[in-house]
Amino acid sequence: MNQHTFQVLEFDKIKALVRQYAASTLGRDAVDAMRPFTHAEEVQRAQREVTEMVRLYRARQEPALDGIYDIRDILQKSQIPGAMLDPAEILLCGETVAAAARIQYGLKKAEIDTPLLKQIIHRLTLHPEIEKELARVFDAQKNIRDNATPALAKIRASLRQQRVSMIKRLEHLMRTGWKDYLQEDFYTNRDERYVLPVDARYQNKVKGIIHDRSATGTTVYIEPLELVEDGNILKGLQRDEEIEIGKILQALTAMIASHADTLLANIDLFKRIDFIAAKARFGIKYAMEEPKISPSKTLKLVQARHPLLLVKHGVEDVVALDLELDDTTPGLVISGPNTGGKTVVLKTVGLLVLMCQAGLPIPASPLSEIPIYRLISADIGDEQSLEQSLSTFSSHMKNIRFILNHADEHSLILIDELGSGTDPIEGGALSCAILEQLRAQNAMFIITTHLQELKLFAYQAEGIKNGSMEFDLQTLRPTFRFQMGLPGQSNAIRIAKRLGLPTPVIEKAQSIMQERGESPEDMLTKMGNELRQAENLRKKAAREAAKAQQQYEDNKKYKKRAEGQAKDILQRAEHKAQKLVMEMEHRLAEMEKREKQFQSEWKARLDYLIQQSSQISGEQSSKSQFADLKEDVKQTRKKLVERRLEEKNETAQKRPVPKTWRWNHLIPGARVRLDGISEIGTVTKIWAEKKEIEVQLSTVVLKVKTETVLEILRDKPTPKVDAAASVKVSRPEYIHNSCDIHGMTVEEMTPVVEKYLDDAFLSGQPYVYIVHGLGMGVLRRAVQNLLKANPIVRSYRPGGDYEGGMGVTVATLNSSIIQNK
């Protein structure tokens, strides 16, 4: 890198822009010293540091950089033996000390991940002892506190007392002896002495020391003789105060000097942090991005813009540049009309590479890639030097000599108008030789030219491409758009016509061109157009092939996935079907087993009862057995009914029983239906005042509240029969061991299950299956609540794997009277 390259590529103007965003002189100095790095690791770290700072700013978590000052001179002064810094210098050191703590704390609590920046701030040294001492000595207004030392407190107290005493005496003199001689009724101060403004005509009338006169000479400022001694005392106290303050400042200076090394190290870190922040703010301002650092020689710019044009005109008015060079094609020859933008392309490429290697974001897409160059050399513009007696051509050759002596595989060479300033034929030949040498030295290069020889050379040579600046033939104006792969035309005659040259001159030039026939430039243009068409067809074919390949791969994936899903579904279906068949077979076998067991148990019970009834040892024995059996049945049924009535009474307040009968129908012998009991009862007694009745239910007599009466039946009561006659020892009607209530509501289910439990209990079933299904679980919970409250149910549980699972509840019943007998 050399200063000539920085100058022609206008890198200094970029530094001037970045400098505006520094918060301190330290940051501005760092920007002024900014130069491109030449190692990939350095560039990558610098770029990542800026990117981290950009994220902090966008998240509004950036470090507070106020209070950073360049105190290097102050620190150097503090180290002189016996030195005493003034309060302003000490306070600057204090603010810089506080800034270190503030920056470190702010970055530590930031939620954004910034590992590189945190490495920097962790190296900051904090000085809490300096902060504490300065806070003790100075108040909020940056004045030294009275209690900074005990001696200072005593001196200042004496000063205040002395001033108060002197002011009282001055006011007394103004009201009495000096009243008639004063120019104005006030006192003032001259050279730290209290004086009165005396009319010059009466200055001989008063005794005192003259300290000053007014500009007009009409007023004399005199210190009264009575106050001279008090003034001397005041001056002495003021001198004592100055001495004590000097001691305080010397002590603070010594403290600062003892930490000079760490404070100087903090200054360097502040400089770096402010430098990074300035680059980040510059990048945010113009929407710049961090480019990729290419590990190879690929130079790829996507939607790139010249930063100075961007600052001046805005992003909408600057044409973006897309350009790519690599190992196989490291050279580019750009041709086209004058004022078409060829030089802007050179400067854009060179300046963005310099910015990237200096750790600056660039105005381009983040898809851009830039390799690291050790040499960036540019020969741009008319560099004629009168002082050195050099022509334009000579000046260019001097720069190119330097380039050829130093270019290698890590170099980027930018040459504007190669071969100009001399005979076109010789210049063309020399230019081709220069390009051949740059290619031999493996350098990456971009040159601009109008020479046809260079366009033909780029077309024929391996590793070099043509490029051109687009020209609108309709408007005869350049579009400033760069086109890769095509040579450009100068269009000199067309441009001259647009600029107003006389028509005869234009026509003569056109006729001369026609007489010469088709020029090499025209042939290049035709070949370039054919090449572009072929390239477009190749790209289209490649896109179609890629699309077809992708479709083929997608179809293979879909087919494989569908086959896998179908196989999986079939396996699951077969497994589920086998499981269901096994469960059904097991359940059928279990049901057959239980049916046989049930029939066997009932046959044994029946045989036992028949045997007991037939073995009559006497009339009294038979009657006793039947009486006991009748009483057991009666008591059991009574307990069952009473338990249900108690449960109904407990919920009577929550669910009142609807009354649909009249009081005059409630008479002895009336047939009634009670709440919670399915069997019809007969009223035997009535207690109207207690609203209670006695009801005969088969073999059970109950005393209940009248509010439990649901209905009084109007039909004729059946004759009362003897309870003993209703008890018959015979095999009860067969009751199945399952009750299916699937699909019922809770209201529909309740009487069905209660009746079924009664019948199953009396028939001697040891356990029953209540089939309610799965659903939302409402019916299952209602069944379980009903079973829990029923006294004939010993326990209940969900069905097993082969009993119906959660869709069935199995209830175990208490043994019935008949079974026990």
Side-chain angles (χ1 to χ4, degrees):
M1 310 292 176
N2 55 47
Q3 188 58 39
H4 176 264
T5 298
F6 294 153
Q7 181 179 347
V8 296
L9 293 179
E10 301 178 291
F11 185 63
D12 290 339
K13 292 184 179 180
I14 296 297
K15 292 201 292 187
L17 288 171
V18 178
R19 197 177 191 273
Q20 299 174 10
Y21 295 93
S24 67
T25 56
L26 294 170
R28 289 188 281 273
D29 290 345
V31 173
D32 292 339
M34 179 173 60
R35 292 178 67 86
F37 297 104
T38 55
H39 293 88
E41 296 79 11
E42 295 175 313
V43 176
Q44 288 173 336
R45 182 180 181 89
Q47 287 285 351
R48 287 198 295 267
E49 287 174 347
V50 174
T51 300
E52 288 182 8
M53 189 68 77
V54 167
R55 290 203 295 266
L56 286 174
Y57 273 102
R58 286 177 175 164
R60 299 184 181 276
Q61 297 179 23
E62 70 277 6
L65 300 180
D66 53 309
I68 294 178
Y69 298 100
D70 185 0
I71 58 171
R72 287 174 292 188
D73 292 341
I74 297 175
L75 294 175
Q76 186 177 2
K77 176 181 174 182
S78 70
Q79 293 177 297
I80 299 173
M84 183 181 72
L85 300 176
D86 61 44
E89 292 172 328
I90 292 174
L91 288 170
L92 280 181
C93 293
E95 291 189 32
T96 306
V97 166
R102 185 172 58 252
I103 291 172
Q104 191 177 89
Y105 173 74
L107 212 54
K108 280 182 178 180
K109 73 172 185 177
E111 299 173 357
I112 306 300
D113 185 27
T114 55
L116 296 179
L117 293 180
K118 286 180 179 177
Q119 287 180 15
I120 297 174
I121 62 104
H122 281 315
R123 292 162 53 194
L124 287 170
T125 302
L126 305 186
H127 300 88
E129 67 282 3
I130 295 179
E131 290 188 81
K132 183 178 179 180
E133 183 63 14
L134 294 183
R136 188 189 68 81
V137 172
F138 293 94
D139 61 18
Q141 289 72 41
K142 310 301 181 184
N143 297 317
I144 296 178
R145 300 178 187 272
D146 291 350
N147 60 352
T149 64
L152 183 63
K154 183 177 180 180
I155 291 169
R156 286 189 172 175
S158 299
L159 277 171
R160 285 192 293 271
Q161 184 178 358
Q162 185 67 15
R163 287 193 179 98
V164 170
S165 175
M166 292 179 69
I167 290 171
K168 287 182 178 179
R169 294 186 65 183
L170 283 169
E171 291 175 345
H172 177 73
L173 290 174
M174 286 188 297
R175 292 194 304 270
T176 57
W178 291 51
K179 179 179 180 181
D180 297 332
Y181 308 124
L182 297 178
Q183 188 74 272
E184 295 183 31
D185 190 13
F186 70 89
Y187 63 87
T188 185
N189 193 292
R190 289 291 186 276
D191 298 328
E192 298 299 327
R193 310 289 289 199
Y194 284 107
V195 295
L196 294 173
V198 178
D199 191 327
R201 293 174 298 173
Y202 306 116
Q203 61 180 332
N204 296 326
K205 301 283 186 181
V206 295
K207 295 179 180 181
I209 300 173
I210 298 175
H211 287 277
D212 196 9
R213 293 179 182 272
S214 65
T216 60
T218 58
T219 304
V220 180
Y221 295 95
I222 300 175
E223 180 183 10
L225 194 59
E226 297 93 325
L227 293 180
V228 171
E229 185 59 29
D230 287 338
N232 292 336
I233 295 173
L234 184 64
K235 289 288 286 186
L237 290 172
Q238 290 172 339
R239 179 59 181 164
D240 293 342
E241 181 186 30
E242 290 175 0
I243 293 172
E244 185 61 27
I245 289 175
K247 293 178 182 179
I248 295 171
L249 296 179
Q250 281 183 324
L252 293 175
T253 301
M255 174 180 281
I256 291 171
S258 67
H259 297 283
D261 292 341
T262 52
L263 289 173
L264 284 171
N266 281 358
I267 294 300
D268 291 336
L269 295 172
F270 288 151
K271 184 176 183 178
R272 185 173 176 183
I273 293 170
D274 193 13
F275 178 44
I276 296 170
K279 291 191 289 185
R281 288 195 290 267
F282 170 70
I284 292 172
K285 172 67 176 178
Y286 298 106
M288 298 184 181
E289 299 285 350
E290 175 189 351
K292 297 179 181 178
I293 305 304
S294 175
S296 63
K297 288 185 63 177
T298 299
L299 171 62
K300 180 180 178 182
L301 294 179
V302 180
Q303 292 294 295
R305 291 175 171 82
H306 194 287
L308 298 178
L309 294 178
L310 179 64
V311 171
K312 183 177 181 180
H313 300 290
V315 66
E316 298 297 332
D317 294 330
V318 180
V319 178
L321 168 68
D322 291 330
L323 181 147
E324 183 173 0
L325 298 174
D326 53 31
D327 289 331
T328 59
T329 310
L332 176 63
V333 175
I334 304 176
S335 54
N338 290 321
T339 69
K342 298 189 299 296
T343 304
V344 173
V345 172
L346 283 184
K347 289 189 173 184
T348 300
V349 174
L351 190 52
L352 295 193
V353 170
L354 287 177
M355 290 174 62
C356 170
Q357 293 190 207
L360 285 167
I362 63 173
S365 166
L367 298 176
S368 301
E369 295 183 38
I370 296 178
I372 303 303
Y373 299 104
R374 296 175 186 169
L375 172 67
I376 302 173
S377 189
D379 179 62
I380 298 175
D382 184 0
E383 301 190 25
Q384 185 179 34
S385 174
L386 298 178
E387 292 80 5
Q388 299 181 21
S389 300
L390 295 176
S391 66
T392 301
F393 178 76
S394 299
S395 180
H396 285 314
M397 288 303 104
K398 181 181 177 182
N399 293 333
I400 291 173
R401 180 186 64 188
F402 172 85
I403 290 171
L404 295 178
N405 287 337
H406 295 87
D408 60 14
E409 60 182 356
H410 302 294
S411 301
L412 174 64
I413 308 303
L414 306 171
I415 304 176
D416 190 27
E417 298 294 347
L418 180 62
S420 64
T422 188
D423 178 74
I425 296 177
E426 289 190 67
L430 182 61
S431 298
C432 290
I434 292 170
L435 294 190
E436 185 67 33
Q437 182 61 31
L438 288 174
R439 188 177 61 172
Q441 294 176 216
N442 293 321
M444 185 169 283
F445 57 88
I446 304 175
I447 70 117
T448 66
T449 187
H450 286 286
L451 299 178
Q452 295 178 4
E453 286 80 1
L454 281 179
K455 300 176 189 178
L456 288 170
F457 180 80
Y459 184 78
Q460 297 169 347
E462 183 180 354
I464 305 176
K465 282 187 178 181
N466 270 303
S468 63
M469 304 307 297
E470 188 180 68
F471 187 80
D472 191 338
L473 295 176
Q474 300 296 324
T475 62
L476 298 179
R477 293 180 182 276
T479 65
F480 304 107
R481 293 188 180 91
F482 173 73
Q483 295 177 313
M484 198 76 170
L486 293 176
Q489 292 181 315
S490 298
N491 292 297
I493 297 176
R494 292 188 178 97
I495 295 174
K497 181 178 180 181
R498 180 175 63 83
L499 294 176
L501 261 66
T503 301
V505 174
I506 299 299
E507 292 176 350
K508 182 62 177 177
Q510 290 173 341
S511 65
I512 292 173
M513 291 296 295
Q514 290 174 357
E515 290 174 1
R516 291 182 178 178
E518 190 175 39
S519 66
E521 187 173 3
D522 293 331
M523 288 189 291
L524 281 173
T525 301
K526 288 182 179 180
M527 288 188 292
N529 289 333
E530 292 173 358
L531 179 63
R532 180 168 58 182
Q533 292 175 2
E535 181 67 16
N536 290 337
L537 289 173
R538 186 192 67 79
K539 290 180 179 178
K540 183 178 180 181
R543 286 195 299 268
E544 294 296 331
K547 185 176 180 181
Q549 181 65 25
Q550 184 63 43
Q551 187 66 39
Y552 174 73
E553 295 295 335
D554 291 343
N555 289 340
K556 284 177 62 178
K557 291 179 182 177
Y558 294 150
K559 181 181 178 183
K560 186 175 180 180
R561 187 184 306 166
E563 289 175 349
Q565 291 176 346
K567 184 177 179 180
D568 187 50
I569 290 171
L570 287 173
Q571 289 178 348
R572 290 201 305 267
E574 290 176 359
H575 178 73
K576 188 173 182 180
Q578 291 174 358
K579 185 177 179 181
L580 288 173
V581 169
M582 291 176 63
E583 288 181 358
M584 186 60 67
E585 290 176 349
H586 184 82
R587 290 180 65 180
L588 288 173
E590 186 71 20
M591 290 173 66
E592 290 177 358
K593 179 181 177 182
R594 291 178 179 176
E595 180 68 19
K596 291 178 180 179
Q597 182 181 358
F598 175 79
Q599 292 178 359
S600 176
E601 289 177 354
W602 265 109
K603 186 176 183 301
R605 293 173 193 167
L606 184 60
D607 293 343
Y608 172 77
L609 290 173
I610 294 172
Q611 182 182 3
Q612 290 294 321
S613 62
S614 61
Q615 295 175 357
I616 302 174
S617 58
E619 183 179 353
Q620 183 60 37
S621 176
S622 177
K623 290 182 179 180
S624 176
Q625 287 181 357
F626 280 113
D628 291 344
L629 179 62
K630 182 183 74 172
E631 184 62 25
D632 287 344
V633 173
K634 179 179 178 181
Q635 293 300 324
T636 299
R637 186 160 181 77
K638 181 177 180 180
K639 289 180 181 179
L640 175 63
V641 174
E642 287 176 348
R643 174 66 182 272
R644 289 181 180 173
L645 286 175
E646 287 176 2
E647 293 175 356
K648 295 298 181 179
N649 290 334
E650 288 175 0
T651 59
Q653 294 180 352
K654 298 181 181 178
R655 185 174 58 85
V657 178
K659 179 181 174 184
T660 59
W661 48 270
R662 296 183 182 180
W663 283 98
N664 56 353
H665 295 159
L666 190 60
I667 59 176
R671 297 174 67 242
V672 295
R673 189 186 303 279
L674 302 180
D675 184 24
I677 300 176
S678 58
E679 187 176 347
I680 303 299
T682 303
V683 178
T684 57
K685 291 182 182 180
I686 299 176
W687 295 275
E689 66 280 2
K690 295 183 179 180
K691 294 186 177 180
E692 293 178 347
I693 59 175
E694 185 180 77
V695 180
Q696 176 75 42
L697 294 170
S698 182
T699 61
V700 179
V701 177
L702 297 176
K703 186 177 182 181
V704 299
K705 294 289 186 180
T706 56
E707 60 188 15
T708 63
V709 177
L710 292 178
E711 182 182 5
I712 299 176
L713 302 180
R714 301 293 297 275
D715 53 12
K716 184 178 180 179
T718 57
K720 185 176 180 181
V721 297
D722 185 10
S726 65
V727 179
K728 298 180 180 179
V729 181
S730 62
R731 178 173 178 167
E733 184 181 356
Y734 173 72
I735 300 297
H736 200 277
N737 69 340
S738 66
C739 176
D740 190 350
I741 58 170
H742 189 274
M744 296 184 182
T745 64
V746 175
E747 290 76 13
E748 294 170 343
M749 169 274 296
T750 301
V752 173
V753 173
E754 288 180 342
K755 179 66 168 60
Y756 172 73
L757 291 174
D758 290 346
D759 295 341
F761 171 75
L762 294 175
S763 68
Q765 288 282 13
Y767 47 82
V768 294
Y769 295 85
I770 310 299
V771 183
H772 44 67
L774 293 173
M776 299 298 291
V778 176
L779 202 57
R780 181 181 72 252
R781 290 191 293 272
V783 167
Q784 292 174 354
N785 290 335
L786 188 149
L787 296 176
K788 184 178 180 181
N790 199 312
I792 68 175
V793 178
R794 180 187 302 171
S795 62
Y796 62 88
R797 61 176 174 83
D801 292 339
Y802 301 102
E803 296 176 320
M806 296 299 292
V808 174
T809 296
V810 182
T812 302
L813 306 181
N814 290 312
S815 299
S816 67
I817 298 300
I818 296 176
Q819 182 181 359
N820 292 334
K821 294 293 182 181

